Amino acid sequence: MVRWRAGAVTAVRRRWAGAVELDVTLADSTAVRALAYPALVGEPQPGDRVLLNAGALLMGLGTGGYALVVALPDRLPADPPQAGDTRDAGHLVKARYTPLQPILLGVDEEASPHHDLLAAAEDVGGMPVVTADLHSALPAVLAGIRADAPDARVAYLLTDGGALPAWFSRTLAGLAGHLAGTISVGQAFGGDLEASTLHSGLLAARHVLRADLAIVAQGPGNLGTGTRWGFSGVAVGEAVNAVATLGGRPVGSLRVSDADPRPRHRGVSHHSLTAYGRVALAAADLVVPDGLDPALAAQVHAALVPLAARHTVVTVPTDGLDAALRASPVRLSTMGRGLDADHAYFLAAAAAGRHAVRLLG
């Protein structure tokens, strides 16, 4: 449940798109790091009293280890300018029935300028879509795309398995200008466009953002229990099904590593094997990067043998991909490991991006 704390803002630290980091002193004089989303709670200033949800901070969670600002009780933000009793500005409620549920304009609802376009849309016209189970794959997939197609229009679909606010992701903030746009789907919110489902989000990527390619991945801060099925990224298999249903070309980015200390994630992670082997009912291209260490390559190919009955396992050359990864506009990091510490992971994601470009013909 929620662990409440109250305190006062002592300093406004760094900020990025949609988020601001704060120093807060609690009533017992403890200093904590906090995060606020101004679109939800207003713009914090030094001296403001704040109410915090401190649970993730107290548990020492890595990605989510902030106290989160729930309210500035003495200086509430003004109401939005739109009328609150009509649907003219949208009626998509996300993070539904939580105290901070926002009401947003859905890309395909009646008040949207894109409603008629999307009401008639039935497919994505063969658009290649890379699916990945971790947010950290996003910039690496994009690097692989940019290595061969620097001018391609790439959309990102933020699913709701991790952080719901797009604003939480500093990676996403750093990729501004490198993406055709972000579409937040399901309970996620804060993207350039809002969609109620992954299906409507994919249609919006193709027909509204005019994307050549798309990337589907959850936000940072995924949820996992260490079991086969208890991982939010397993939903990547459902993403494969959605892409295929809409006439797209699913490209599976495999979670490959010889650096993860946990045996279940070495070679091909058991999460990738579950998502693509058990959840994905439609066929996808599963991408293996060429040039892996021979022992790792043997481990990867052996793990994928059972999946080859449904999917196509594709080995992709990696010349130039290391340079593309090193030129990423944002820092590459997965589970605290950078590019050199877990090179195979990022190389596999970049290879998936390269393969998606080749499907463009």
Side-chain angles (χ1 to χ4, degrees), residues 76-115:
L76 298 176
D79 285 347
Q82 302 88 357
D85 57 353
T86 74
R87 297 186 176 192
D88 293 345
H91 80 294
L92 258 63
V93 181
K94 297 204 173 186
R96 288 186 282 279
Y97 303 104
T98 64
L100 288 178
Q101 61 181 18
I103 300 177
L104 305 155
L105 177 64
V107 65
D108 59 349
E109 65 174 302
E110 291 85 349
S112 168
H114 310 298
H115 171 74

Side-chain angles (χ1 to χ4, degrees), residues 280-291:
L281 302 180
D285 289 352
L286 303 183
V287 177
V288 177
D290 197 13

Side-chain angles (χ1 to χ4, degrees), residues 1-35:
M1 299 302 288
V2 174
R3 297 184 184 275
W4 288 93
R5 297 293 185 272
V9 177
T10 53
V12 175
R13 299 174 59 89
R14 58 183 173 171
R15 61 174 64 232
W16 55 92
V20 57
E21 191 179 71
L22 310 169
D23 285 336
V24 173
T25 299
L26 304 182
D28 64 0
S29 299
T30 301
V32 300
R33 190 70 51 85
L35 194 69

Side-chain angles (χ1 to χ4, degrees), residues 45-57:
Q45 301 294 334
D48 279 343
R49 188 165 66 96
V50 290
L51 299 180
L52 305 172
N53 179 339
L57 177 69

